[in-house]
Amino acid sequence: MSDYDLETANAMLLTGRYLYVGFMCHQTIEKILKAYGTNCLMEVPLKIHSLSRLAERTGLDKQLSEEQLDFIDKLEPLNIEARYPSYKERLMKSLTKEYCAELLSQTKELQLWIKNKL
């Protein structure tokens, strides 16, 4: 599902649906973190959306670089803010094509890094 969400983020970028690029990038990393946690901890993942808590729960937070941790912090609000109308307008103004292309690129890199740990 993480791969599917990454493909969806790319499709959203190509069609200019920038709000959902950020949301799907968050979903991509959330799902790969949950897959990693399931594989390493042999338990059902927490039903949360916090990327930082998922990384902490799996122990990956100790292996992530500062840049990767900063990226997780950047993605964190894109899950919640994309869902609620009061945040959407403000968020949509900040999500440009260039910014979303960079989000997508960094998401691909982080997803691959985590996959390689599986």
Side-chain angles (χ1 to χ4, degrees):
M1 289 309 299
S2 178
D3 289 339
Y4 184 87
D5 289 346
L6 187 61
E7 290 173 21
T8 302
N10 191 60
M12 294 297 97
L13 180 65
L14 294 175
T15 58
R17 315 258 313 166
Y18 304 133
L19 179 66
Y20 294 103
V21 173
F23 179 75
M24 296 313 298
C25 285
H26 182 284
Q27 290 295 294
T28 297
I29 299 304
E30 179 181 328
K31 289 174 184 167
I32 196 68
L33 283 170
K34 287 180 176 182
Y36 180 84
T38 299
N39 187 55
C40 293
L41 303 174
M42 301 301 215
E43 61 185 44
V44 177
L46 297 174
K47 292 182 180 184
I48 61 170
H49 303 291
S50 171
L51 302 180
S52 55
R53 283 194 56 212
L54 288 167
E56 182 182 309
R57 175 82 172 123
T58 62
L60 268 180
D61 62 324
K62 293 169 183 53
Q63 298 176 51
L64 292 162
S65 69
E66 278 300 313
E67 184 178 273
Q68 289 168 320
L69 289 168
D70 289 345
F71 179 63
I72 283 174
D73 287 343
K74 187 189 300 187
L75 281 181
E76 195 90 60
L78 297 179
N79 179 53
I80 300 301
E81 291 184 12
R83 291 179 185 227
Y84 297 103
S86 60
Y87 295 109
K88 280 184 181 180
E89 190 173 324
R90 180 178 53 85
L91 183 58
M92 286 175 70
K93 289 178 184 176
S94 69
L95 295 174
T96 64
K97 182 178 183 176
E98 295 75 23
Y99 183 77
C100 287
E102 183 60 27
L103 275 180
L104 187 57
S105 175
Q106 288 180 299
T107 298
K108 287 177 185 176
E109 288 176 24
L110 183 56
Q111 185 210 38
L112 181 60
W113 185 86
I114 297 169
K115 274 186 175 184
N116 287 332
K117 299 274 182 194
L118 286 171

